[in-house]
Amino acid sequence: MSETAPPTHPAIPLHRLRVYNPSRMTDQEITLLFAVREDLLQRILADLSGEAPDSHPQHHLLVGQRGMGKTTLLLRIAAALRSPPLQDRFIPLSFAEEQYNIDRLSQFWLNCLDSLADTCDREGHRDQAQKIDRLVSAITASQPSSPKDDTAAARTALKTFLDAAALTGRRPVLLVDNLQLIFERSSDQQHDLRVALTEPNAPVLIAAAPQLPPAISDYSFPLYDHFKIHQLRALSLDDMRKLLLQLADRTNKPAIRRHVLDHPGRLQALHQLTGGNPRTTVLLFHLYAEDCSPSVTEDLEKLLDDVTSLYKARFEELSHQQQVIISRLAEHWDPADSRTLTENTRLEPGQISSQLDRLVKAGVVEEVPLFGTKRTGYQLAERFFNIWFLMRHASRRLKQPVRFLTQFLETLYEPGERERFARSHSNSSEHLCHPDSIDDWERTLATAADAATMQLAVDSLPQQLSARLNPITLQRASAVLMQSTPHTSDGWYNLGCRLTTKLHQHHAAQTAFSKGLESHPRNPQLWIGLGNLLQYSLADHAAAERAYKRALELHAEDARTFLDTGTRSQADPNLVEETEWTCQTSRSPASKHAPLWQNLGNLYQDHLGLYGDAADAFAKAAAFPESRPMALHNLAFLQRDYLGDIAAARQTFAAIENDSSLELADTHALHRALFAAHELNLGTAASHLDAALDLVPSGLPPFTIDDWVHTAAVLLELGHGEWFQQVLIRREHQHSLRPFFEAIRAHSIGDRAALLNIAVEVRPAAGWLFDQIQQRRERLQDARRQRIGPEPESRSARRRRKK
């Protein structure tokens, strides 16, 4: 595998990649660039394949906001119907995205005739196309002036269309965008439309709409229950990455592939800010093709420039009242109920209600649930439209929260500076990102003929991609490596590391470590590798403790020690990534023992609830100079907040209080704040929090984010959650650290569902922080129960238990 391997498909010129007019692309281009929603495509094609010649057709409706890929999916279906094995059975008919000329049912059938003529012309049947053109002209000339008198003309147009389609020997498939326009403009003729579409051998309708048309779910609607509904949701982070990689492969842009894979955190931040919109993802690819900017902020600014003409035109299409409502809704950013909009717009409640109804039907606004009220919430359906409005039309005061969030997410997700201990093990290739697609990785791992090729492929595999590979492929790779590994302690150890960090085959890795220990039972590195696997991948914490203790017993001064610090990367808050092994080759006692004691301390504190043993482990780690500051910080947190021994914690902290390390400066201030909070000296605590906050103007530092989360958990357990919020508000950090602030507020309220009331873009990071705080609160509660016993049971609880 080479870093610049040629694409396996013909390269598509970048200028052929359309953003707003995908219909201008060829079938081959659409097929090669189609990267997501493949499962949905295959389900629809399978339904079409099952249509018998005289069957009552199964119709489909794609529902999704603008930019969600409805048009592209319709074009991909058309391309499939023009290819084997379906090309001899169906004739796909495509239409303009908005059929503005439809004011009656006969016009719809005339549009079908026009599309059929276009298809005949494309296939070289020009005489037939010209004949259809003449028929369309004749029917158009005889159309009545009023749509109310359209019944006869509609029947004539339908019969003419069906007769012309029958001459092709293929069944028409109508690929219609914006179906709601047809329903709205032929509302009095929907019974006739139903008859036409439900007869045996009738055309199959595959349509799209920005919202589910209200009538379609009404039992009295003539076409009720005649559609399979497919909701096109926003792209997941994996789908967004897959689309960018597919575009890079097909346009032969390996530099973009490397950029995407080398910056997973940046992509995650952009995914949150853009709402996983496929059209915006293609715009992002175009920007990367021009130049890879140095930050998420620059990427966002370039995207906003690119969508300005589109969003400006869309906004200007709205009525005056709708523009006022959209402006206030965008500026509010969080979901708003109608009462809030009435207050913000100064419009009458009746005006707000009727305009919201129209905007929801048009797909511009969507209804969402709110926490703590029965009222309905409203927000802009296309989230990037909201970001664009704030950044291009709102005041400086209203722009600031978006800028702050962008900086916060970049700090939280971009992993470069936060890989403090997670490094590749000694025999692995580092940071080799190849331009091959997922399919290419599948082929490489599935066909590697020898162990050396397989080892190179596995070592080069970007870690984040293994979860997307076929499990059978991963199992084969594991088996090849298992069969070929040298039966040495290093061989088994390196195999276990590869299986864990590269292939995520944790049980196979356990087998590798166990086999190594069968022949080398006194090798400490194998015990450490097994302990790390058991602790961080298999969650068998008791067994992990036994493995670590055995490693400590066996440590000889001349043994190389491979270990995992146990610090988890914060690169992806939604998915806890596996940390890789750190290789220490020094023969000093500190290199051998200190990180092991740190691991044991984390294990005892975070999983086994053995807080006294955790204190002993951190104290032993602190005996070694290189681990002393971090170990003493951990010990002070443990003594004060878990063991309740404030005096011992003060003594521990005094040993490092004057440490000048900038890396832990905010942690020093947090310790001082927590000592004051435990003593109910909230004025002093606030001044120390101010000092810590001075060091984090736009995001929680990756190296100390755990300490900030722990601090929040302790303050909440002490009953100071609302006070902590006021400290953040006084500093205006409810904006600059908004996800953190919202997580604390939801904890103070006592329900994670309170996050429903904040902007969608803020919610994922706030939710992750909420969960991190919750885990630490549960540990603090467990420690408290061990110290003083369970809380006294209330009378009402006793009565409920007796009943």
Side-chain angles (χ1 to χ4, degrees):
M1 299 171 61
S2 72
E3 189 169 346
T4 56
T8 56
H9 298 276
I12 297 172
L14 185 62
H15 72 268
R16 294 291 305 162
L17 180 56
R18 308 297 188 189
V19 178
Y20 302 111
N21 296 293
S23 60
R24 306 297 297 174
M25 299 167 65
T26 67
D27 282 356
Q28 182 188 39
E29 290 167 343
I30 287 288
T31 301
L32 289 176
L33 294 171
F34 192 79
V36 294
R37 311 204 195 282
E38 183 68 33
D39 289 346
L40 176 55
L41 170 68
Q42 295 306 323
R43 290 200 302 272
I44 293 174
L45 293 179
D47 277 358
L48 284 169
S49 297
E51 292 281 0
D54 291 322
S55 65
H56 296 275
Q58 173 61 67
H59 305 301
H60 297 263
L61 178 60
L62 313 174
V63 180
Q65 300 160 8
R66 294 187 183 189
M68 281 298 162
K70 302 185 298 296
T71 302
T72 300
L73 180 53
L74 291 176
L75 292 170
R76 180 64 184 88
I77 293 169
L81 295 180
R82 285 192 282 264
S83 305
L86 299 175
Q87 63 181 1
D88 295 329
R89 295 179 52 199
F90 298 99
I91 182 166
L93 302 180
S94 299
F95 303 83
E97 192 170 334
E98 285 93 5
Q99 299 183 66
Y100 293 122
N101 66 339
I102 291 180
D103 63 346
R104 63 194 75 190
L105 187 56
S106 64
Q107 189 59 55
F108 173 64
W109 298 124
L110 289 172
N111 287 359
C112 292
L113 278 164
D114 278 330
S115 180
L116 180 60
D118 292 342
T119 301
C120 291
D121 187 67
R122 186 187 304 116
E123 294 177 351
H125 306 299
R126 293 183 179 174
D127 290 344
Q128 191 171 353
Q130 291 172 356
K131 180 180 179 181
I132 294 173
D133 289 341
R134 290 192 293 271
L135 291 170
V136 170
S137 297
I139 297 172
T140 302
S142 64
Q143 277 184 306
S145 58
S146 172
K148 295 180 179 180
D149 303 323
D150 187 57
T151 301
R155 290 174 182 171
T156 300
L158 172 62
K159 183 178 186 307
T160 304
F161 167 60
L162 295 178
D163 290 344
L167 295 176
T168 69
R170 290 172 286 170
R171 191 168 185 175
V173 177
L174 311 180
L175 300 164
V176 178
D177 217 336
N178 289 297
L179 180 66
Q180 77 283 357
L181 291 178
I182 298 172
F183 284 166
E184 290 169 4
R185 298 183 181 190
S186 61
S187 56
D188 295 334
Q189 298 171 285
Q190 286 172 357
H191 180 77
D192 293 338
L193 180 62
R194 175 188 179 279
V195 171
L197 293 177
T198 56
E199 292 289 330
N201 200 32
V204 180
L205 176 60
I206 302 178
Q211 292 284 326
L212 188 66
I216 211 168
S217 55
D218 185 344
Y219 183 77
S220 63
F221 179 60
L223 282 166
Y224 173 79
D225 207 28
H226 283 281
F227 287 91
K228 274 191 177 180
I229 309 297
H230 308 283
Q231 291 281 350
L232 271 59
R233 306 292 185 188
L235 297 184
S236 67
L237 176 61
D238 277 346
D239 282 340
M240 189 174 179
R241 182 188 298 112
K242 181 179 179 181
L243 177 55
L244 287 170
L245 295 178
Q246 180 92 327
L247 296 176
D249 290 343
R250 299 302 184 249
T251 57
N252 197 17
K253 299 289 182 183
I256 299 179
R257 165 174 280 275
R258 285 193 297 272
H259 181 75
V260 171
L261 294 179
D262 285 346
H263 299 280
R266 181 182 297 191
L267 184 62
Q268 184 163 358
L270 287 168
H271 175 263
Q272 253 176 255
L273 290 167
T274 62
N277 187 292
R279 179 183 290 161
T280 309
T281 303
V282 176
L283 280 172
L284 179 63
F285 178 80
H286 275 285
L287 295 180
Y288 283 164
E290 296 173 9
D291 178 36
C292 292
S293 67
S295 68
V296 173
T297 301
E298 287 295 322
D299 285 342
L300 182 62
E301 283 293 338
K302 291 166 73 177
L303 278 174
L304 291 170
D305 280 346
D306 246 26
V307 299
T308 290
S309 58
L310 171 69
Y311 287 158
K312 188 173 184 293
R314 189 177 299 173
F315 184 76
E316 290 173 352
E317 290 174 358
L318 303 173
S319 70
H320 172 69
Q321 282 189 353
Q322 290 174 340
Q323 288 179 355
V324 171
I325 292 171
I326 292 299
S327 298
R328 296 296 179 261
L329 196 56
E331 290 171 353
H332 192 267
W333 198 12
D334 297 335
D337 60 22
S338 58
R339 179 181 295 174
T340 300
L341 287 172
T342 299
E343 294 171 357
N344 290 347
T345 62
R346 302 292 190 268
L347 295 174
E348 294 296 325
Q351 293 173 315
I352 290 287
S353 177
S354 63
Q355 293 295 354
L356 281 175
D357 185 57
R358 292 187 182 96
L359 289 166
V360 168
K361 288 179 180 178
V364 179
V365 170
E366 64 182 355
E367 298 177 335
V368 293
L370 293 176
F371 172 78
T373 178
K374 294 182 179 180
R375 292 178 174 274
T376 299
Y378 298 92
Q379 64 184 18
L380 295 192
E382 189 173 344
R383 298 306 304 158
F384 199 51
F385 185 25
N386 203 137
I387 298 292
W388 171 81
F389 190 93
L390 285 171
M391 296 300 288
R392 289 294 178 267
H393 293 281
S395 65
R396 182 196 60 81
R397 173 179 56 84
L398 296 174
K399 290 177 183 176
Q400 283 289 78
V402 179
R403 291 185 175 136
F404 285 137
L405 179 65
T406 304
Q407 295 167 359
F408 188 98
L409 295 179
E410 186 165 16
T411 302
L412 185 66
Y413 292 148
E414 189 66 11
E417 73 269 26
R418 66 176 58 77
E419 292 178 348
R420 43 179 171 170
F421 289 114
R423 302 183 184 94
S424 300
H425 58 81
S426 61
N427 293 334
S428 289
S429 302
E430 295 185 1
H431 306 302
L432 291 180
C433 294
H434 296 273
D436 312 89
S437 68
I438 288 295
D439 291 341
D440 295 332
W441 280 112
E442 292 276 7
R443 280 191 293 273
T444 300
L445 295 177
T447 59
D450 55 74
T453 303
M454 181 63 78
Q455 180 175 315
L456 177 62
V458 170
D459 285 350
S460 302
L461 176 68
Q463 184 178 335
Q464 67 269 24
L465 297 188
S466 60
R468 297 166 53 209
L469 293 173
N470 189 319
I472 296 175
T473 302
L474 296 175
Q475 290 167 14
R476 177 185 184 274
S478 301
V480 171
L481 294 176
M482 187 76 75
Q483 292 167 7
S484 60
T485 193
H487 288 194
T488 64
S489 58
D490 281 357
W492 289 116
Y493 177 80
N494 290 335
L495 174 62
C497 291
R498 285 190 179 92
L499 293 173
T500 299
T501 64
K502 291 294 185 178
L503 300 181
H504 289 191
Q505 297 291 292
H506 304 313
H507 292 290
Q510 185 176 16
T511 300
F513 288 127
S514 298
K515 283 184 176 292
L517 287 169
E518 288 175 7
S519 52
H520 305 87
R522 299 186 59 78
N523 185 284
Q525 70 181 16
L526 286 167
W527 285 107
I528 294 171
L530 179 61
N532 288 331
L533 176 71
L534 292 166
Q535 180 175 357
Y536 297 114
S537 300
L538 298 177
D540 190 343
H541 305 302
E545 179 195 16
R546 292 193 294 271
Y548 287 142
K549 284 187 172 180
R550 184 61 176 152
L552 285 167
E553 293 171 4
L554 294 172
H555 240 304
E557 285 194 5
D558 60 347
R560 289 194 313 160
T561 302
F562 293 74
L563 46 98
D564 176 9
T565 67
T567 301
R568 298 182 179 186
S569 168
Q570 304 299 334
D572 185 348
N574 296 312
L575 300 169
V576 178
E577 297 182 345
E578 295 296 335
T579 53
E580 293 186 304
W581 317 107
T582 301
C583 172
Q584 300 284 357
T585 55
S586 169
R587 294 169 180 253
S588 70
S591 295
K592 298 172 187 176
H593 294 84
L596 264 176
W597 287 118
Q598 288 272 33
N599 266 13
L600 274 170
N602 292 334
L603 181 67
Y604 289 141
Q605 175 183 279
D606 297 342
H607 300 292
L608 299 180
L610 301 173
Y611 301 107
D613 290 338
D616 291 341
F618 288 139
K620 288 183 171 68
F624 305 105
E626 62 264 45
S627 64
R628 178 178 173 81
M630 181 177 292
L632 289 180
H633 273 300
N634 288 340
L635 181 58
F637 278 126
L638 177 71
Q639 289 170 329
R640 180 190 57 235
D641 305 321
Y642 289 89
L643 298 177
D645 192 342
I646 295 180
R650 281 196 175 280
Q651 185 175 354
T652 297
F653 182 62
I656 52 172
E657 190 166 10
N658 296 321
D659 182 70
S660 59
S661 169
L662 293 176
E663 203 167 48
L664 296 172
D666 55 329
T667 299
H668 275 63
L670 292 176
H671 269 299
R672 295 185 182 105
L674 288 178
F675 280 122
H678 272 280
E679 295 169 353
L680 299 181
N681 190 344
L682 296 185
T684 301
S687 66
H688 289 310
L689 283 175
D690 284 343
L693 290 166
D694 285 340
L695 300 168
V696 293
S698 60
L700 301 180
F703 196 77
T704 58
I705 189 171
D706 284 347
D707 300 335
W708 284 92
V709 168
H710 175 88
T711 298
V714 172
L715 292 175
L716 285 159
E717 285 300 302
L718 292 175
H720 302 324
E722 293 187 4
W723 168 82
F724 191 18
Q725 289 177 63
Q726 291 306 310
V727 171
L728 293 171
I729 291 171
R730 174 172 54 80
R731 303 267 315 198
E732 296 190 355
H733 281 304
Q734 77 273 27
H735 301 307
S736 61
L737 302 178
R738 191 178 181 197
F740 186 54
F741 175 82
E742 295 294 353
I744 295 167
R745 181 160 66 176
H747 268 284
S748 298
I749 292 171
D751 197 327
R752 195 181 194 277
L755 299 178
L756 288 173
N757 291 1
I758 66 177
V760 173
E761 294 76 17
V762 181
R763 204 176 299 160
W768 179 78
L769 286 164
F770 180 96
D771 294 340
Q772 294 297 307
I773 293 171
Q774 180 63 29
Q775 290 173 16
R776 285 153 183 81
R777 292 188 71 178
E778 290 171 357
R779 293 172 197 157
L780 290 166
Q781 292 163 8
D782 174 71
R784 186 175 187 278
R785 283 192 293 270
Q786 289 192 30
R787 294 199 314 269
I788 63 175
E791 294 281 356
E793 190 175 29
S794 66
R795 291 182 181 179
S796 58
R798 284 199 299 272
R799 284 197 297 269
R800 287 195 300 270
R801 179 170 50 78
K802 289 178 180 179
K803 288 181 180 179

